[in-house]
Amino acid sequence: MSELLPLIDTFGRLHNNLRISVTDRCNIRCFYCMPAENVEFMEKSELLTFEEIERFVRVAAPLGINKLRLTGGEPLVRRELHKLVEKLAAIPGIQDIGLTTNGIMLAEQAADLYAAGLRRINVSLDALSPEKFKKFTRRDGFEKVLEGIKEAQRVGFDPVKVNAVSVRGMTEEEVVPFGHFARETGADVRFIEYMPLDADNSWERGKVLFAHEIIEQLSSAIMPLIPLGQPDKNAPATDFVFEDGIGRIGFIASISQPFCMSCNRIRITADGKLRNCLFSLDETDLRPLLREGGSDALIVEAIRASVMAKKEGHEINTAWFIQPDRPMYSIGG
Ligand code: SAM
Ligand code: SF4
């Protein structure tokens, strides 16, 4: 349902995909995202309410926004998230709602989320042993994530995607186990190249394990991977299947093969800042409009202005790249 002119930026990219961060809080501390200790979280009063998020989506949907993903921080620590899903699923024009979670609280919430209308789940899991899990997350919880994946599959989510950040020196020994995991559980495994959005500012290009290296490792240790056609040309992942048709593996190669020219996303942070890119250095504060009686027309104007200001690409591979002040947990990945 697109009653107004669609959101096309100055490079001709059509935007139909909105990522909504519902909190910056999290129950673990992945090193590539959060500081180890003393995290300064947003005050509760700073977070958009479910009603404010719903209003924003109702205004954005007629501009062609039809795909939503809830994220954070850890979205499942926001109380009664299924109630937000229900509100969003009822908005005319919204065709698809997804969730990205670390899976720790998923077993207890999967059934309610499914009943509320959620159909796509991505669970982040970087390692397949409890010890290695703790190296990535600085917390326990490995078993709970596995339980969450199983429960999500049991209640009907299909596919459940498992996202693993690929970090040189850490991910190599997880690659083959993840290949077998995809074949045995039916979950799609996707490796995401480590990006410069860590709170500690310690990202370096040399710390990224690249997609092509993982493809080589899986192909020689298990069997060749065959590329699958891209059903959605805007999806950032490139998907493969093992030669015998069992086990899907995808790659989000943000560093080695940037996909900015097909980007169709905008984001709203938990405190109501609209961002046109993960790596953007600017953002638009929508909370005053949403909270203090701004008209729909003013919100539409702000969304359009943000889309029109979107840059061509993320510039990570240039000498002039500047890492945004907000780390991943505070933007919403
Ligand atoms: N807490 C949820 C989770 O971990 O799935 C949702 C938010 S998290 C920020 C969203 C995704 O971003 C996760 O898959 C996470 O692994 C990924 N991510 C976080 N920091 C990253 C980084 N520096 N580079 C690449 N991916 C990152
Ligand atoms: Fe939490 Fe997700 Fe960030 Fe890990 S990646 S610290 S789970 S928000």
Side-chain angles (χ1 to χ4, degrees), residues 208-224:
V208 184
L209 184 67
F210 294 121
H212 72 89
E213 300 174 85
I214 299 176
I215 294 173
E216 278 159 27
Q217 208 185 330
L218 285 171
S219 298
S220 65
I222 301 181
M223 71 180 76

Side-chain angles (χ1 to χ4, degrees), residues 1 3 44 65 72 92 94 121 134 171 174 181 191 213 237 247 253:
M1 199 184 84
E3 294 160 2
K44 287 235 163 64
I65 294 293
I94 297 306
I121 281 204
K134 201 166 178 176
T171 303
E174 302 302 314
F181 181 84
F191 292 96
E213 300 174 85

Side-chain angles (χ1 to χ4, degrees), residues 19 21 23 25-28 30-34 70-76 99-103 122-126 162-167 192-199 203 252 254-255 278-279 323 327-333:
R19 317 267 298 194
S21 174
T23 180
R25 287 172 195 257
C26 189
N27 42 5
I28 56 176
C30 304
F31 77 86
Y32 48 69
C33 175
M34 278 190 134
L70 302 177
T71 181
E74 172 46 38
L76 299 188
L99 169 78
T100 301
T101 170
N102 63 29
N122 292 357
V123 180
S124 305
L125 176 64
D126 301 313
V162 171
N163 291 346
V165 177
S166 62
V167 182
I192 307 177
E193 289 179 350
Y194 175 24
M195 296 183 277
L197 289 167
D198 56 317
W203 181 91
I252 301 187
S254 333
I255 310 297
L278 262 180
F279 296 97
Q323 182 163 339
M328 189 67 123
Y329 73 94
S330 152
I331 299 173

Side-chain angles (χ1 to χ4, degrees), residues 280-306:
S280 172
L281 301 176
D282 311 310
E283 45 190 33
T284 308
D285 191 1
L286 290 185
R287 198 177 57 202
L289 289 179
L290 291 165
R291 195 158 282 184
E292 290 153 24
S295 66
D296 289 1
L298 281 176
I299 297 171
V300 166
E301 206 177 292
I303 300 173
R304 281 200 196 289
S306 172

Side-chain angles (χ1 to χ4, degrees), residues 19-296:
R19 317 267 298 194
I20 302 169
S21 174
V22 295
T23 180
D24 62 339
R25 287 172 195 257
C26 189
N27 42 5
I28 56 176
R29 294 286 182 275
C30 304
F31 77 86
Y32 48 69
C33 175
M34 278 190 134
E37 305 295 340
N38 304 322
V39 191
E40 275 184 37
F41 291 115
M42 297 166 189
E43 295 291 329
K44 287 235 163 64
S45 61
E46 293 180 76
L47 303 185
L48 293 187
T49 63
F50 286 177
E51 289 68 28
E52 287 164 346
I53 295 173
E54 182 190 4
R55 158 107 191 278
F56 176 69
V57 175
R58 277 193 190 278
V59 173
L63 301 171
I65 294 293
N66 54 24
K67 234 179 140 169
L68 307 176
R69 177 163 292 272
L70 302 177
T71 181
E74 172 46 38
L76 299 188
V77 305
R78 180 92 188 239
R79 257 169 224 266
E80 310 213 290
L81 189 72
H82 64 279
K83 294 200 170 155
L84 176 63
V85 172
E86 217 164 70
K87 286 178 193 290
L88 298 178
I91 295 177
I94 297 306
Q95 296 167 6
D96 185 293
I97 307 180
L99 169 78
T100 301
T101 170
N102 63 29
I104 292 193
M105 295 169 74
L106 183 55
E108 49 204 270
Q109 297 187 35
D112 282 346
L113 290 165
Y114 193 83
L118 187 78
R119 287 295 174 270
R120 293 165 175 272
I121 281 204
N122 292 357
V123 180
S124 305
L125 176 64
D126 301 313
L128 285 174
S129 73
E131 300 75 34
K132 195 63 169 288
F133 176 88
K134 201 166 178 176
K135 283 199 176 139
F136 274 98
T137 63
R138 300 147 161 167
R139 294 287 187 278
D140 294 317
F142 175 71
E143 303 296 341
K144 287 200 166 156
V145 181
L146 290 188
E147 271 171 44
I149 294 172
K150 273 198 195 136
E151 181 61 8
Q153 288 178 320
R154 196 190 65 77
V155 304
F157 288 102
D158 182 23
V160 172
K161 294 188 178 166
V162 171
N163 291 346
V165 177
S166 62
V167 182
R168 191 174 300 284
M170 293 183 77
T171 303
E172 291 87 339
E173 64 184 30
E174 302 302 314
V175 167
V176 175
F178 267 123
H180 291 298
F181 181 84
R183 291 169 65 73
E184 285 156 17
T185 63
D188 292 3
V189 172
R190 300 196 312 181
F191 292 96
I192 307 177
E193 289 179 350
Y194 175 24
M195 296 183 277
L197 289 167
D198 56 317
D200 301 338
N201 242 299
S202 66
W203 181 91
E204 291 165 18
R205 202 181 158 81
K207 293 183 181 168
V208 184
L209 184 67
F210 294 121
H212 72 89
E213 300 174 85
I214 299 176
I215 294 173
E216 278 159 27
Q217 208 185 330
L218 285 171
S219 298
S220 65
I222 301 181
M223 71 180 76
L225 281 168
I226 312 295
L228 287 165
Q230 292 297 101
D232 175 359
K233 67 176 175 39
N234 296 113
T238 320
D239 294 319
F240 292 77
V241 63
F242 286 104
E243 200 176 37
D244 64 356
I246 302 170
R248 286 176 176 236
I249 308 285
F251 297 91
I252 301 187
S254 333
I255 310 297
S256 63
Q257 293 163 52
F259 37 81
C260 301
M261 282 322 285
S262 59
C263 180
N264 62 356
R265 297 169 181 203
I266 54 173
R267 298 165 188 273
I268 187 156
T269 64
D271 56 347
K273 309 286 192 291
L274 185 66
R275 298 178 61 88
N276 56 25
C277 174
L278 262 180
F279 296 97
S280 172
L281 301 176
D282 311 310
E283 45 190 33
T284 308
D285 191 1
L286 290 185
R287 198 177 57 202
L289 289 179
L290 291 165
R291 195 158 282 184
E292 290 153 24
S295 66
D296 289 1

